[in-house]
Amino acid sequence: MEEKLWKDHCVLLNEGEENELEIFGYKTQGWRRVLCIAGYILSCGALLLLFYWKPEWDVWANCIRCSLEEADIVLLRTTDEFQRYTWKKVTWIDLSTLALPVDSNSDGLLVADKDSVINRAVMKPQLKMRCIQVQKIRYIWDCSVKAFKKVGSLEDSNTCHTIHQKFGAGLTREEQKIRQLVCGPNAIEVEIRPVWKLLFKEILNPFYVFQAFTLTLWLSQGYIEYSMAIVILSIISVVLTIYDLRQQSTKLHNLVEEHNKVQVTVCTKNEGCKELESCYLVPGDMFLLDGKKFSLPCDAVLIDGSCIVNEGMLTGESIPVTKTPLPHVESPMPWKTHSMEDYRRHVLFCGTEVIQMKPTGRGPARAVVLQTGFNTAKGDLVRSILYPKPVNFKLYRDALKFILGLSAIGVFGLIYTVCVFVSHKKPVADVMTMALLLLTAAVPPAIPAALTTGTVYAQRRLKKKKIFCISPQRINICGQINLVCFDKTGTLTEDGLDLWGIIPSEGSRFQKIHKFPSSTPLPWGPMCGAMASCHSLVALDKKIQGDPLDFKMFEGTHWELDDSRTAQHVAGALNTCIVRPGPKASSAPVEGIAILHQFPFSSGLQRMSVVSQKIGEEQYDLYMKGAPEIVSSFCRQETVPVNFLKELKTYTSQGFRVIALAHKVLNLGKDVDMSNLEREEAESGLVFLGLLVMENRLKQETKPVLQELAAAHIRSIMVTGDNLQTAVTVARNAGMIHTGSRVILIEANEPEGSAPAAIAWRLAEDSKANTAAAPDVCANTEEKITLEGETCNYHFAMNGKSYQVIVKHFYNLLPKILVNATVFARMSPGQKSTLVEEFQKLNYYVGMCGDGANDCGALKMAHAGISLSEQEASVASPFTSQIPNIQCVPELIREGRAALVSSFAVVKYLALYGLIQFVGTALLFWQLQIFGNYQYLIQDVIITLLVCLTMSLTEPYPKLAPYRPPGQLISPPLLLSIILNVCFTIIMQTCGFLLVKQQPWYVALDDQRHCSPGNQTVSPGSPGGNGTSSGAQSTVLSYEDTTLWPLSSINCIIVAFVFSKGKPFRKPIYTNYVFSVLLALQLAICLFLFLADIDAVYSDMQFLCTPMIWRVYVLLMILVTFCISFFTEDVILQNKQLWLLIKAWSGYQSKSQYRKWQRIVQRDPDWPPVNTKDFAAKSTDEIYINPTYEHSDRD
């Protein structure tokens, strides 16, 4: 019973998706509400503020638990490790306001689509439905399954046939109205947040609330000038933050606003077509693409005609993509499953630009609305910007623990103060004020803000280097990266492939190679026909655009592409692209070739094909190109040369990119409808034409960058869609696999019949090694690679198919393989994402560098995804580099390391500053005294504030160190640094405090301030001053105060200098000119105030005059402290070798998973297996679900 109640009370929203949430049902209770309101009033709003910070407490206090069906409030909790809470009110949608047909109240369906959630959500006869809005998405209560379901999309269960049949003619007027009311407007609305809202959100931050509490205390003590300085600085900080947030809000609003007001021609069933503003579009609407260029206002599936779109906004790559209509076929499978992972070729995504339409003979191109508003692809990206996923990084978790630790010290100070002041019988008000003053001194409220200063400066430097960042928090994480995955084509190698040669095949034998460039043009034949027509190139504004590989291949034929507008009257069909022989082409017996239909390329299928017709002839031809292994499997085996694999290996082993071509004559008859052509049927029984060999040159920056990363002990991994042999060769040429290192190829196969899944380990032929025994693989000690503990010079390489089988059937072997795997070939976009995730499970900090197209999933999954794109900020990844090579990777790691070290330094400094002040104030409290107003002002504003603002300006060190900076605040070196420096401070200040009392000229309380010209004796004088009252003066003026102030102030400057260490992660301190000059000026000011025999200075600073010899003693104490502090920090705590010795002596071993597996592998005498075959113990019933990020594009 209890279990059923819990099941009704709590369910998962968006199960299995990235934005998965737990949803709990609650009902508001009157008497609880009254009690809470009373609590708000009695606590003067403090309870309300607490509920603002903790929304779950608000719900628990005001409501009682109930089933979701009865709930009027829902509490939402994220399912990630952060478990953040929010609450939402359940609202009602009333459909009775619409003039609906009479039968809607009976058992009739509200909308024609019987599977639609709208039909299951409506409560009859009231015609109402319950809904909630979470992160801009609307959910309605599905009465049949008792759960909230997303609206604003067409059901995925629709088949190709039902989409054509139900929505092909448009929706009825009534259904449009119902869907408009339920789904809401088709608009991605980002409000420009009002200044007052931003202001409230900012000042209600716990940091500012704590600061307001602190300032109230200071003001109550009459520290007007200091408090006003902090108030002014806080106002400047808040204004700048609000201005920045407002700018971001305006920028995002302007980015999405233009797509909310697009005019579209919508067809209504039985009423014809009319122009509408796009915000009125609903899922299921059918609209026309009438020839003009425009940005799509929704996600839609193309049902008739074809078009060319620019998806640069989504992928960061501005290559035109051809979209084909959804086939009109009878199939029980949902339409996405029917199209497999290639369903995207039929979908027009919101925000992408339609640049060319190709209508059919039936009229203009038509599309059905799939998703509207924030449910669209663009809406999803905007939501990811509005609601970014929090970064799970130890630094931010440790900062909270750190503040709690300082708070504990503050509480100790509070108890100490109460004891001292009560023992002196001081009024309760004074006791509490002073106790709270000491509590706030220990916890600098600027620590959270200080963590971001290094990041802000790093982001600014990265921008100058043309590296743009949409997630600044990740810059610190870049400092921890120890593994980088690289895409190959366009990332490690040149984007534009060069055509190297063609090996035609005739009579199942390879013919003589035709090399490029060549003095003789390519002779006419099926091979030439395939190269001229099997591509997705388009002529836009008299310029050929498309995939670089297609472009190079077409260029090699010397044929020309007709602008489709002038070619529309040729060959009778409208949906046509014409290619003709150019003046430099070899003579051909054809006027040209009309490309009638395209089966586009996709990463998953690794092939593309076209249906074409020679002008003036009736015969139809199908040409295919793609990965040689795939294309050969579609060919009749008698047409494939016997030495096909050997020939393929000859070229792939030299690093060439090899594409296979095939051909087939289609018997279609006259006036056939190409859109209904089945791909599987057409692409069968082909004739193998030959191989196209393309040279994929390494970018000149690739090798030096990979060498730099290897020297810094950062692993480099290649993850590509290309052939395995090509990938291994490129990895060798690039230096990922060192000379003398062995490559072990892993081949895994799915179970076949009774035979279980198998995994084979084979030494690559080009590995010059003795394969007799496994230990020999590790024999060559001269060339061992020691990457973070790896001591074996072997590398595993595999393709996507084998990787998938290993994940499914040999998952226990995966960690052992991954710690030494270097090359992953023929990887689909989804496999790239899961690979990054598997590396993260081994506790690697993973960087991913790709071209932003089919790497989107992996770029988002990695700790630091870097997209090489021409766009300023591709929404495909957290980082976008306009430098089109991998130089940006070490640059980003350098900046990340510098930002991380700077963040730690500032936090350490702030902790020390707080504790230095805490110790000095605690000593003065012993005799019921306190530092003066201006004394605090100089310490807090002139020294600390300026140090915090400029300490992080130091630039990164140009050479990457072979180890990473510590990744956590709570680590032995850092904690020891703070503890030891606090000890030095306590010793120094206590010595000063006690020694001054022993001096012959010392008196307990004195109003003498003036110094005689000779400074030998202390002469009496009137106690002028800046105190707010005579009481305040007597609590400041003392020899102890005059001694402790220079000791604590100059100590703050000392720790700022000591903590600003340069090498190995930052440049030396003197290169940070602003910071160095400021430290020198601060030191000069402190010495001047302490040493100057000027009455006005002493009067304002509330100092007493001391003999010069005593001042020299004070300076000697400071000098000794500096020497000890500098030696401790630089020679002991920052000594990497010393810590390694301590670790070795104590037997400490890294807890990182990858380190553990490296140790296991090293101890295993039978690893790595070579020339062996293993079988899965049993065929597993568990099905591995691959969270594929489907994207059809090139490698």
Side-chain angles (χ1 to χ4, degrees):
M1 183 70 182
E2 183 66 32
E3 195 179 321
K4 187 184 181 303
L5 279 171
W6 178 254
K7 205 174 166 188
D8 291 341
H9 166 65
C10 167
V11 294
L12 282 175
L13 199 66
N14 307 324
E15 192 169 354
E17 294 178 35
E18 201 178 338
N19 56 339
E20 185 181 81
L21 296 160
E22 284 177 296
I23 178 168
F24 305 90
Y26 286 90
K27 195 189 282 181
T28 312
Q29 211 170 27
W31 65 268
R32 282 174 174 251
R33 188 94 189 99
V34 170
L35 281 176
C36 285
I37 291 167
Y40 301 155
I41 296 162
L42 293 171
S43 66
C44 303
L47 185 63
L48 196 61
L49 186 63
L50 186 65
F51 284 170
Y52 171 77
W53 291 336
K54 288 279 188 184
E56 65 273 29
W57 293 4
D58 189 4
V59 174
W60 295 336
N62 281 286
C63 311
I64 55 163
R65 208 172 86 175
C66 68
S67 70
L68 280 165
E69 199 165 10
E70 302 168 315
D72 60 2
I73 296 285
V74 292
L75 185 64
L76 301 147
R77 181 173 71 189
T78 59
T79 54
D80 56 20
E81 63 267 46
F82 301 98
Q83 302 218 320
R84 290 159 301 140
Y85 283 94
T86 49
W87 63 268
K88 296 286 172 186
K89 206 168 180 151
V90 178
T91 55
W92 289 85
I93 298 172
D94 189 358
L95 296 178
S96 61
T97 54
L98 301 172
L100 296 173
V102 182
D103 67 333
S104 299
N105 294 332
S106 63
D107 291 337
L109 298 175
L110 269 179
V111 293
D113 182 7
K114 67 177 188 299
D115 298 321
S116 174
V117 69
I118 297 171
N119 288 323
R120 302 194 301 272
V122 71
M123 295 178 184
K124 293 178 180 177
Q126 308 99 311
L127 289 180
K128 285 185 174 182
M129 56 179 77
R130 300 164 72 228
C131 85
I132 54 171
Q133 187 121 341
V134 181
Q135 292 187 351
K136 307 282 186 186
I137 299 282
R138 188 176 285 186
Y139 299 83
I140 57 176
W141 179 255
D142 185 335
C143 303
S144 61
V145 295
K146 302 274 188 280
F148 281 101
K149 295 287 180 187
K150 204 183 281 189
V151 284
S153 307
L154 269 196
E155 307 299 317
D156 281 343
S157 56
N158 283 305
T159 65
C160 297
H161 178 71
T162 53
I163 287 178
H164 279 277
Q165 189 190 36
K166 286 182 189 174
F167 309 109
L171 300 172
T172 61
R173 172 74 55 219
E174 290 76 21
E175 194 167 327
Q176 280 177 338
K177 283 181 182 172
I178 291 166
R179 286 181 182 264
Q180 274 170 10
L181 189 60
V182 175
C183 302
N186 170 41
I188 300 171
E189 286 172 342
V190 178
E191 64 159 346
I192 299 176
R193 293 164 79 186
V195 172
W196 67 269
K197 262 191 188 179
L198 292 169
L199 181 67
F200 265 96
K201 192 172 179 183
E202 192 62 24
I203 61 172
L204 293 178
N205 184 311
F207 157 63
Y208 283 114
V209 171
F210 179 67
Q211 204 173 57
F213 169 69
T214 311
L215 288 172
T216 310
L217 278 174
W218 290 122
L219 286 166
S220 71
Q221 286 303 294
Y223 299 121
I224 312 289
E225 294 90 340
Y226 169 62
S227 300
M228 288 318 293
I230 297 299
V231 166
I232 290 163
L233 288 167
S234 298
I235 288 169
I236 291 168
S237 171
V238 168
V239 167
L240 287 173
T241 307
I242 289 172
Y243 174 76
D244 193 37
L245 288 169
R246 176 88 175 179
Q247 287 291 96
Q248 284 176 18
S249 183
T250 309
K251 203 173 177 181
L252 196 57
H253 172 83
N254 295 340
L255 180 76
V256 298
E257 186 59 27
E258 59 184 280
H259 299 149
N260 293 340
K261 293 185 176 134
V262 179
Q263 291 297 118
V264 282
T265 307
V266 180
C267 298
T268 309
K269 200 178 270 186
N270 308 325
E271 289 185 29
C273 303
K274 69 169 187 178
E275 277 220 345
L276 270 183
E277 204 168 89
S278 60
C279 62
Y280 296 110
L281 284 174
V282 293
D285 262 334
M286 192 272 283
F287 64 96
L288 305 178
L289 300 162
D290 47 10
K292 60 179 186 287
K293 278 189 185 183
F294 76 112
S295 287
L296 279 152
C298 60
D299 283 358
V301 60
L302 199 60
I303 58 167
D304 195 20
S306 63
C307 58
I308 294 159
V309 296
N310 178 356
E311 292 189 346
M313 194 282 297
L314 291 179
T315 64
E317 193 173 49
S318 302
I319 289 175
V321 181
T322 302
K323 299 289 180 175
T324 57
L326 187 74
H328 195 166
V329 289
E330 292 274 1
S331 168
M333 287 190 291
W335 70 276
K336 283 186 181 178
T337 316
H338 177 266
S339 303
M340 290 178 288
E341 69 169 73
D342 214 19
Y343 77 89
R344 295 171 69 99
R345 70 175 185 256
H346 309 305
V347 181
L348 306 169
F349 293 102
C350 179
T352 61
E353 193 183 9
V354 178
I355 44 184
Q356 201 178 81
M357 260 73 67
K358 291 184 178 178
T360 59
R362 293 188 291 275
R366 295 179 299 144
V368 170
V369 177
L370 274 181
Q371 278 144 323
T372 56
F374 281 95
N375 292 290
T376 61
K378 184 176 180 183
D380 199 38
L381 291 169
V382 173
R383 284 195 317 118
S384 70
I385 295 167
L386 288 172
Y387 309 102
K389 198 176 174 185
V391 177
N392 180 18
F393 190 40
K394 280 182 178 172
L395 174 64
Y396 304 108
R397 293 203 307 265
D398 287 353
L400 186 64
K401 292 179 189 171
F402 201 69
I403 290 168
L404 288 172
L406 292 174
S407 303
I409 295 169
V411 169
F412 167 76
L414 183 138
I415 296 162
Y416 159 81
T417 310
V418 169
C419 295
V420 170
F421 277 73
V422 166
S423 68
H424 285 83
K425 299 188 171 50
K426 288 289 174 183
V428 175
D430 284 3
V431 173
M432 288 315 296
T433 307
M434 289 300 176
L436 290 169
L437 274 175
L438 197 56
L439 169 71
T440 57
V443 190
I447 282 182
L451 277 171
T452 62
T453 54
T455 309
V456 170
Y457 293 137
Q459 190 178 4
R460 205 171 67 184
R461 287 194 294 266
L462 285 169
K463 200 170 181 180
K464 283 180 187 169
K465 291 166 185 169
K466 299 228 180 312
I467 301 169
F468 301 92
C469 174
I470 60 167
S471 179
Q473 273 185 313
R474 287 184 188 258
I475 293 174
N476 275 337
I477 299 177
C478 291
Q480 286 292 293
I481 283 175
N482 55 356
L483 182 145
V484 186
C485 295
F486 293 99
D487 181 29
K488 183 178 76 67
T489 310
T491 305
L492 296 173
T493 59
E494 293 289 355
D495 204 2
L497 297 152
D498 290 316
L499 193 57
W500 184 82
I502 290 162
I503 311 149
S505 168
E506 267 179 52
S508 76
R509 295 239 297 274
F510 283 115
Q511 305 299 307
K512 191 186 169 193
I513 188 165
H514 180 96
K515 283 199 173 185
F516 291 91
S518 170
S519 52
T520 56
L522 181 69
W524 166 252
M527 196 78 174
C528 183
M531 289 171 65
S533 58
C534 194
H535 53 73
S536 56
L537 299 172
V538 290
L540 297 173
D541 304 322
K542 297 185 178 173
K543 189 181 171 191
I544 297 175
Q545 289 189 23
D547 190 289
L549 185 147
D550 284 355
F551 184 76
K552 284 287 178 186
M553 178 184 76
F554 182 68
E555 198 179 46
T557 63
H558 296 296
W559 280 46
E560 290 172 349
L561 188 72
D562 258 15
D563 191 309
S564 55
R565 280 183 286 259
T566 63
Q568 280 180 0
H569 308 293
V570 186
L574 289 167
N575 187 10
T576 308
C577 171
I578 307 286
V579 289
R580 305 174 191 276
K584 291 182 184 174
S586 59
S587 61
V590 291
E591 186 193 329
I593 297 174
I595 303 163
L596 305 173
H597 187 68
Q598 240 186 65
F599 296 114
F601 175 81
S602 89
S603 305
L605 301 175
Q606 294 177 358
R607 68 182 193 271
M608 78 160 289
S609 49
V610 295
V611 178
S612 66
Q613 188 180 36
K614 297 182 187 76
I615 294 171
E617 293 184 23
E618 288 185 8
Q619 175 188 304
Y620 293 96
D621 296 289
L622 179 130
Y623 291 107
M624 180 194 279
K625 82 165 192 301
E629 308 94 321
I630 303 290
V631 172
S632 64
S633 68
F634 284 92
C635 295
R636 299 201 308 274
Q637 283 313 297
E638 67 269 19
T639 67
V640 180
V642 185
N643 62 339
F644 164 73
L645 289 172
K646 188 184 173 190
E647 193 78 6
L648 176 62
K649 200 163 199 175
T650 305
Y651 293 101
T652 56
S653 62
Q654 294 174 59
F656 287 113
R657 178 91 180 262
V658 183
I659 306 289
L661 296 163
H663 167 247
K664 175 187 178 180
V665 174
L666 292 174
N667 301 311
L668 298 175
K670 286 189 178 180
D671 303 324
V672 66
D673 185 359
M674 292 290 171
S675 60
N676 292 334
L677 200 60
E678 278 286 343
R679 184 167 191 169
E680 288 72 23
E681 194 184 315
E683 294 181 333
S684 61
L686 280 74
V687 175
F688 187 79
L689 293 180
L691 299 173
L692 189 71
V693 182
M694 308 196 90
E695 202 170 10
N696 200 191
R697 292 196 187 103
L698 276 179
K699 290 181 179 175
Q700 63 183 47
E701 300 85 4
T702 298
K703 204 165 181 178
V705 167
L706 293 177
Q707 282 171 347
E708 186 180 5
L709 294 177
H713 289 188
I714 296 167
R715 275 185 71 188
S716 297
I717 305 288
M718 186 192 290
V719 188
T720 176
D722 207 343
N723 173 283
L724 179 58
Q725 197 60 53
T726 305
V728 169
T729 309
V730 171
R732 280 195 179 281
N733 294 343
M736 268 186 189
I737 297 169
H738 290 232
T739 316
S741 297
R742 281 78 168 175
V743 176
I744 299 167
L745 303 177
I746 300 175
E747 196 176 324
N749 294 303
E750 288 277 6
E752 282 180 29
S754 59
I759 183 168
W761 319 78
R762 181 168 58 83
L763 204 62
E765 285 170 25
D766 58 347
S767 293
K768 302 179 185 71
N770 177 9
T771 61
D776 289 347
V777 178
C778 301
N780 187 352
T781 51
E782 281 95 49
E783 299 199 46
K784 283 185 182 176
I785 308 162
T786 52
L787 286 183
E788 296 244 35
E790 290 173 38
T791 57
C792 245
N793 65 331
Y794 61 87
H795 300 259
F796 290 123
M798 73 191 82
N799 61 23
K801 179 177 147 286
S802 296
Y803 168 74
Q804 200 68 44
V805 173
I806 291 165
V807 168
K808 190 174 175 182
H809 298 284
F810 299 94
Y811 195 73
N812 58 326
L813 284 178
L814 190 64
K816 289 176 87 171
I817 291 168
L818 290 184
V819 292
N820 278 96
T822 303
V823 177
F824 295 85
R826 293 283 185 238
M827 296 285 278
S828 70
Q831 287 167 344
K832 288 182 182 184
S833 299
T834 57
L835 178 67
V836 167
E837 202 173 1
E838 291 300 336
F839 274 125
Q840 287 172 333
K841 284 178 189 173
L842 291 176
N843 303 132
Y844 278 111
Y845 278 90
V846 184
M848 171 76 200
C849 185
D851 58 13
N854 63 354
D855 302 313
C856 286
L859 288 166
K860 284 183 175 175
M861 184 67 70
H863 289 107
I866 312 154
S867 167
L868 303 183
S869 168
E870 289 176 10
Q871 301 201 343
E872 183 172 302
S874 164
V875 278
S877 68
F879 298 95
T880 307
S881 168
Q882 283 187 343
I883 310 158
N885 60 60
I886 62 168
Q887 273 180 322
C888 58
V889 175
E891 203 62 67
L892 190 59
I893 294 171
R894 272 193 286 271
E895 286 292 356
R897 288 180 173 188
L900 190 57
V901 170
S902 296
S903 297
F904 281 10
V906 175
V907 169
K908 271 166 65 175
Y909 171 75
L910 277 173
L912 252 296
Y913 143 75
L915 292 170
I916 288 166
Q917 231 179 42
F918 176 86
V919 171
T921 308
L923 286 169
L924 287 175
F925 274 11
W926 185 254
Q927 52 191 44
L928 310 183
Q929 290 185 318
I930 193 166
F931 285 121
N933 193 352
Y934 283 125
Q935 292 172 10
Y936 272 128
L937 194 68
I938 286 170
Q939 279 184 359
D940 294 337
V941 180
I942 305 292
I943 298 173
T944 300
L945 184 79
L946 295 176
V947 163
C948 287
L949 290 175
T950 57
M951 193 187 247
S952 301
L953 283 170
T954 311
E955 293 189 0
Y957 195 69
K959 189 185 176 199
L960 280 174
Y963 53 90
R964 299 175 294 161
Q968 43 197 119
L969 266 172
I970 299 169
S971 62
L974 198 133
L975 289 178
L976 267 175
S977 175
I978 291 170
I979 291 163
L980 290 174
N981 275 288
V982 169
C983 292
F984 304 152
T985 295
I986 292 169
I987 292 163
M988 178 179 71
Q989 293 200 32
T990 309
C991 285
F993 182 77
L994 295 174
L995 285 173
V996 75
K997 291 176 184 286
Q998 310 302 318
Q999 302 309 308
W1001 41 263
Y1002 171 81
V1003 285
L1005 276 175
D1006 204 329
D1007 60 1
Q1008 292 172 346
R1009 198 182 270 136
H1010 303 282
C1011 291
S1012 64
N1015 193 32
Q1016 297 304 318
T1017 58
V1018 179
S1019 60
S1022 62
N1026 191 47
T1028 49
S1029 65
S1030 58
Q1033 237 179 58
S1034 62
T1035 61
V1036 175
L1037 283 174
S1038 71
Y1039 285 116
E1040 289 89 346
D1041 171 83
T1042 306
T1043 301
L1044 287 178
W1045 184 81
L1047 288 175
S1048 57
S1049 299
I1050 297 175
N1051 199 3
C1052 286
I1053 299 167
I1054 287 169
V1055 291
F1057 178 81
V1058 168
F1059 291 162
S1060 296
K1061 184 173 165 57
K1063 278 178 73 174
F1065 304 114
R1066 295 189 296 173
K1067 284 183 179 177
I1069 185 172
Y1070 57 79
T1071 61
N1072 184 349
Y1073 307 119
V1074 179
F1075 182 64
S1076 305
V1077 169
L1078 270 173
L1079 282 189
L1081 282 172
Q1082 288 163 354
L1083 183 62
I1085 289 167
C1086 290
L1087 292 174
F1088 169 75
L1089 294 173
F1090 182 52
L1091 298 173
D1093 290 334
I1094 303 169
D1095 288 343
V1097 170
Y1098 271 64
S1099 171
D1100 287 345
M1101 288 301 297
Q1102 294 174 276
F1103 285 158
L1104 289 177
C1105 189
T1106 54
M1108 185 55 77
I1109 190 70
W1110 176 247
R1111 294 184 228 184
V1112 172
Y1113 287 153
V1114 168
L1115 293 179
L1116 279 172
M1117 278 192 267
I1118 291 167
L1119 187 64
V1120 169
T1121 307
F1122 168 72
C1123 293
I1124 295 169
S1125 179
F1126 186 79
F1127 177 82
T1128 307
E1129 188 73 21
D1130 216 51
V1131 179
I1132 300 170
L1133 298 175
Q1134 297 290 334
N1135 188 328
K1136 181 77 178 171
Q1137 297 306 316
L1138 181 66
W1139 283 105
L1140 288 173
L1141 281 171
I1142 292 168
K1143 280 182 182 180
W1145 174 75
S1146 63
Y1148 171 83
Q1149 289 188 320
S1150 171
K1151 292 183 178 68
S1152 296
Q1153 286 297 318
Y1154 72 91
R1155 295 282 204 182
K1156 285 181 184 175
W1157 283 105
Q1158 282 169 355
R1159 291 194 290 270
I1160 290 166
V1161 164
Q1162 282 168 27
R1163 288 196 297 266
D1164 188 346
D1166 300 322
W1167 191 267
V1170 179
N1171 297 338
T1172 59
K1173 195 168 188 175
D1174 299 316
F1175 296 94
K1178 64 178 189 339
S1179 185
T1180 178
D1181 294 323
E1182 183 186 325
I1183 294 170
Y1184 176 73
I1185 311 292
N1186 184 358
T1188 311
Y1189 181 92
E1190 302 103 344
H1191 196 292
S1192 54
D1193 216 308
R1194 63 183 182 81
D1195 162 43

